[in-house]
Amino acid sequence: MEWETVIGLEVHAQLRTKSKIFSGAATAYGAEPNTQACTLDLAMPGTLPVLNHAVVEMAIKLGLAIDAEINKRSIFERKNYFYPDLPKGYQISQFQLPIVGKGHLKILLEDGTEKVIGITRAHLEEDAGKSMHEEYSQQTGLDLNRAGTPLLEIVSEPEMRSAKEAVAYLKTLHTLLRYIDICDGNMQEGSFRCDANVSVRPKGQREFGTRAEIKNVNSFRFVEKAINYEVERQIALLERGEKIVQETRLYDADKNETRSMRSKEEAHDYRYFPDPDLLPLIITIEDIQKILTTLPELPEKKRLRLMHDFDLTPYDASNLVMTQALANYFENVVAIVGKPNAKLAANWIMGDLSASLNKFNLDITNSPVTPKQLSELLMRISDNTISGKIAKTVFEALWENGGNADAIIAEKGLKQVTDTGAIEAIIQQVINNNPMQLADYRSGKDKLFGFFVGEVMKLSRGKANPQQVNDLLKEKLQ
Amino acid sequence: MILSDQDIKKIAHLARIDVSDEQVTALRPELGKILTMIEHMDSVDTQNVAPLSHPIEANQRLRLDEVTEINQRDTFQKIAPNADHGLYFVPLVIE
């Protein structure tokens, strides 16, 4: 039977505030345990929550960025369950009236096609603390620094049909959250966490199958692997005539498998009700309009603009808009090298520059090679002063010692040889040195052409213009 | 509406309240009365009435995003039944 995968995603984005959602305690990552947990975070009697202005603004920003309805009136509710990292015995969340209603996000698939994924809602809530079960014998240690950290939970419609689509959605959302500057997106630190609801159904069937929820997978790669594993597991069960149990499963990256965490039936009885400590949150049109003016150019719009203005492919453009800093770098370079060299600029930024930045774990804003320096180098490739290969040498010199491309080319004598006579002389020398290969080539071993190109380039120390070498060699080897 | 003993035990478990069998017997008619009253309210036509989440006509006030709390861990941990290494401790809970 042919099966269809159905995936819905819940993303918990930690909002980039200085203080918590309902208290004035700090939210800085990595503080000593419990030094950022105040009386309210500890649920001391008599304390009352007061909503942080910044989280409301951030939620509205997201709402605007995904074309969603912003609810003019939303309410906070208590989600009741007992766990020691939740001292109040309930989590303050939103349930019936979330701040952000229906919206959508456009994702770009690998084959270049676009797909619109519906977003059901986004609501504000507080995070719980952190429990440590293993380090202390027969006790659970609690660090409540994270308790009360603001989260925006963004819930998608079950509209993704493969693990790849799910990852594309997550990456698009991740980029968007950083553009609108409401979440730092750091997955290692848990600022962007994802739960995936996965089910399968026979192709053509309308009703959804029973789903399993995979919790807290902390990298894009693992999300893809976890979903693929889960889909195979469910199909195998169904094909054996067994049933899927609705449950929460944890992904184990070491073993690449998902494991049942707990049966959800009882744990799911959260008994939500409006929190009497928090009044309805009212948002005015003026509030929304004010926030609208603070939105930057969004990644989707930027991508289309780059494609249109610089004739870039969807692939190049979507890579360049991954972060604002990267896109800015590209635009600064193109401003100097011009539209005809835009593709060259994109290749260098996504290629050598990104590779070097990764190698030294640097952000593009701290790149040792500035847009101006890279542009000067690209211009020399463009006007045939140096070949692409020699350019790599110049780039390395720029990376290590700074300076400018022209000075490096002059100093190291890297200028490309474009003088036909000089190249012909080198070719003649190569032919003289390799009579056997020449005979073989002439008797039909076409593959040896590459050998001759290599020898000529070697003898010219990489400086011969490759196109000219090709053309002249073809002539001479006849 | 009458609750079964099982319903009552489930609710007690969810609220982490230890209820003995005798108490369940006593609670059943009491809870039943409350539920009957709620059923009575259910009979009112509320089709054109907006749900009321809060009884007072007021809106949530917001505070500025500023850190106003200082670290008082030592003070708080002095009154905790079990705290060490900066952590609060509870009997082992396993997920």
Side-chain angles (χ1 to χ4, degrees):
Chain A
M1 188 187 297
E2 213 181 323
W3 298 93
E4 183 176 51
T5 303
V6 176
I7 304 160
L9 295 167
E10 291 167 18
V11 168
H12 285 88
Q14 186 179 313
L15 297 175
R16 252 172 59 105
T17 56
K18 296 200 257 314
S19 64
K20 294 190 176 172
I21 182 168
F22 299 118
S23 83
T27 53
Y29 182 80
E32 282 292 302
N34 293 307
T35 54
Q36 294 177 168
C38 68
T39 49
L40 184 107
D41 306 322
L42 300 178
M44 290 292 184
T47 56
L48 285 170
V50 188
L51 186 59
N52 186 338
H53 183 264
V55 305
V56 176
E57 261 190 34
M58 291 179 180
I60 295 173
K61 263 188 166 181
L62 185 269
L64 291 170
I66 58 168
D67 265 331
E69 304 153 15
I70 313 276
N71 285 319
K72 308 292 181 301
R73 179 174 178 276
S74 71
I75 62 169
F76 288 92
E77 305 205 34
R78 293 184 179 182
K79 177 180 178 178
N80 299 279
Y81 65 93
F82 285 98
Y83 206 74
D85 60 20
L86 188 74
K88 293 193 297 300
Y90 58 85
Q91 177 195 28
I92 304 178
S93 181
Q94 296 191 296
F95 189 56
Q96 291 202 34
L97 275 176
I99 183 162
V100 177
K102 273 190 184 306
H104 55 83
L105 194 62
K106 201 185 274 177
I107 64 170
L108 189 67
L109 304 178
E110 272 180 346
D111 62 2
T113 57
E114 289 175 346
K115 180 170 177 178
V116 175
I117 304 293
I119 290 176
T120 318
R121 57 187 280 154
H123 62 257
L124 288 166
E125 62 183 27
E126 58 178 342
D127 207 346
K130 201 171 135 199
S131 315
M132 282 154 270
H133 308 292
E134 273 141 37
E135 297 89 332
Y136 308 94
S137 66
Q138 294 310 301
Q139 295 189 99
T140 292
L142 296 168
D143 174 7
L144 297 168
N145 279 349
R146 206 180 58 189
T149 297
L151 300 177
L152 188 61
E153 178 173 339
I154 304 153
V155 184
S156 86
E157 294 286 325
E159 291 179 345
M160 282 145 284
R161 293 291 173 265
S162 69
K164 281 209 157 42
E165 283 185 22
V167 172
Y169 168 85
L170 289 173
K171 285 186 173 169
T172 307
L173 183 59
H174 187 258
T175 296
L176 182 66
L177 294 176
R178 289 194 299 160
Y179 262 67
I180 58 176
D181 200 24
I182 67 170
C183 171
D184 68 19
N186 190 322
M187 295 176 85
Q188 277 82 42
E189 293 177 6
S191 302
F192 184 92
R193 308 195 286 260
C194 163
D195 302 338
N197 287 305
V198 179
S199 65
V200 296
R201 61 182 171 188
K203 201 152 193 160
Q205 180 182 303
R206 278 185 67 114
E207 303 83 51
F208 293 129
T210 307
R211 66 169 197 261
E213 183 180 10
I214 311 170
K215 277 270 180 207
N216 276 343
V217 197
N218 66 355
S219 84
F220 295 129
R221 200 162 59 91
F222 289 157
V223 169
E224 186 169 346
K225 290 179 112 176
I227 292 173
N228 282 333
Y229 172 86
E230 183 58 23
V231 168
E232 277 176 36
R233 186 189 72 90
Q234 292 187 11
I235 291 174
L237 277 175
L238 293 170
E239 289 188 340
R240 284 204 302 271
E242 292 174 42
K243 281 205 165 124
I244 310 291
V245 185
Q246 184 175 335
E247 60 182 356
T248 304
R249 299 180 68 86
L250 271 184
Y251 178 66
D252 181 335
D254 295 329
K255 293 184 181 150
N256 187 31
E257 62 177 30
T258 62
R259 276 200 303 273
S260 179
M261 203 168 123
R262 58 172 181 243
S263 169
K264 233 185 163 179
E265 280 143 68
E266 189 163 57
H268 214 57
D269 202 343
Y270 292 131
R271 295 151 293 143
Y272 282 95
F273 64 89
D275 190 330
D277 290 342
L278 287 157
L279 292 162
L281 171 64
I282 304 298
I283 295 163
T284 64
I285 301 271
E286 290 76 42
D287 294 334
I288 296 173
Q289 274 167 347
K290 213 165 104 194
I291 293 165
L292 189 60
T293 62
T294 68
L295 281 188
E297 182 183 37
L298 299 177
E300 163 72 9
K301 206 173 158 201
K302 203 187 273 287
R303 178 173 71 80
L304 293 174
R305 182 171 61 78
L306 294 187
M307 284 170 63
H308 177 265
D309 288 0
F310 302 112
D311 284 338
L312 294 179
T313 61
Y315 176 82
D316 283 340
S318 65
N319 276 329
L320 286 169
V321 302
M322 207 78 88
T323 68
Q324 273 156 318
L326 188 63
N328 287 344
Y329 191 103
F330 171 76
E331 295 207 65
N332 288 334
V333 171
V334 185
I336 303 172
V337 301
K339 184 180 164 181
N341 294 314
K343 172 69 183 163
L344 182 68
N347 288 349
W348 271 83
I349 291 167
M350 298 316 302
D352 290 71
L353 181 65
S354 290
S356 300
L357 290 169
N358 283 342
K359 192 170 149 197
F360 292 94
N361 206 10
L362 286 171
D363 188 83
I364 190 137
T365 48
N366 302 317
S367 170
V369 177
T370 64
K372 182 164 179 286
Q373 286 172 312
L374 183 66
S375 302
E376 288 164 351
L377 171 62
L378 299 182
M379 291 311 284
R380 296 292 87 87
I381 302 172
S382 170
D383 67 13
N384 276 326
T385 305
I386 53 173
S387 68
K389 193 153 179 253
I390 290 291
K392 286 178 193 285
T393 311
V394 180
F395 178 80
E396 278 165 26
L398 282 172
W399 181 276
E400 276 160 28
N401 307 316
N404 70 72
D406 284 339
I408 294 166
I409 293 164
E411 183 196 325
K412 300 198 173 189
L414 296 173
K415 195 167 178 317
Q416 184 159 251
V417 178
T418 51
D419 170 16
T420 310
I423 296 174
E424 277 176 341
I426 297 169
I427 289 175
Q428 197 52 55
Q429 202 179 331
V430 169
I431 288 174
N432 293 344
N433 293 347
N434 300 284
M436 298 275 286
Q437 284 84 348
L438 182 68
D440 285 350
Y441 178 81
R442 286 187 172 155
S443 65
K445 272 199 166 176
D446 290 347
K447 275 189 192 153
L448 278 170
F449 188 74
F451 163 80
F452 285 104
V453 174
E455 289 298 303
V456 173
M457 294 309 288
K458 205 160 43 175
L459 208 58
S460 77
R461 291 189 294 128
K463 291 189 291 184
N465 177 302
Q467 192 53 49
Q468 281 175 293
V469 170
N470 260 303
D471 295 345
L472 291 169
L473 255 179
K474 263 182 204 147
E475 248 172 60
K476 295 276 175 193
L477 291 177
Q478 292 271 318
Chain B
M1 187 184 170
I2 307 291
L3 287 172
S4 70
D5 286 3
Q6 253 180 335
D7 291 332
I8 294 171
K9 281 185 176 159
K10 190 187 167 202
I11 295 164
H13 172 70
L14 283 170
R16 298 295 189 277
I17 298 172
D18 194 8
V19 179
S20 67
D21 288 351
E22 296 87 71
Q23 284 172 310
V24 170
T25 315
L27 277 168
R28 205 168 43 192
E30 284 179 34
L31 289 170
K33 268 187 208 164
I34 296 169
L35 288 172
T36 305
M37 188 183 76
I38 292 168
E39 269 176 351
H40 184 62
M41 291 197 286
D42 268 347
S43 65
V44 180
D45 178 10
T46 55
Q47 213 168 359
N48 297 313
V49 182
L52 180 77
S53 59
H54 297 75
I56 38 173
E57 282 284 326
N59 301 334
Q60 179 60 38
R61 285 183 57 184
L62 304 176
R63 61 176 179 82
L64 290 176
D65 180 26
E66 280 168 359
V67 176
T68 51
E69 295 287 343
I70 52 160
N71 171 22
Q72 299 184 74
R73 182 175 76 181
D74 292 346
T75 314
F76 300 149
Q77 296 204 332
K78 254 181 223 150
I79 55 166
N82 189 359
D84 200 1
H85 300 95
L87 298 171
Y88 296 94
F89 282 102
V90 294
L92 187 65
V93 205
I94 297 173
E95 293 193 322

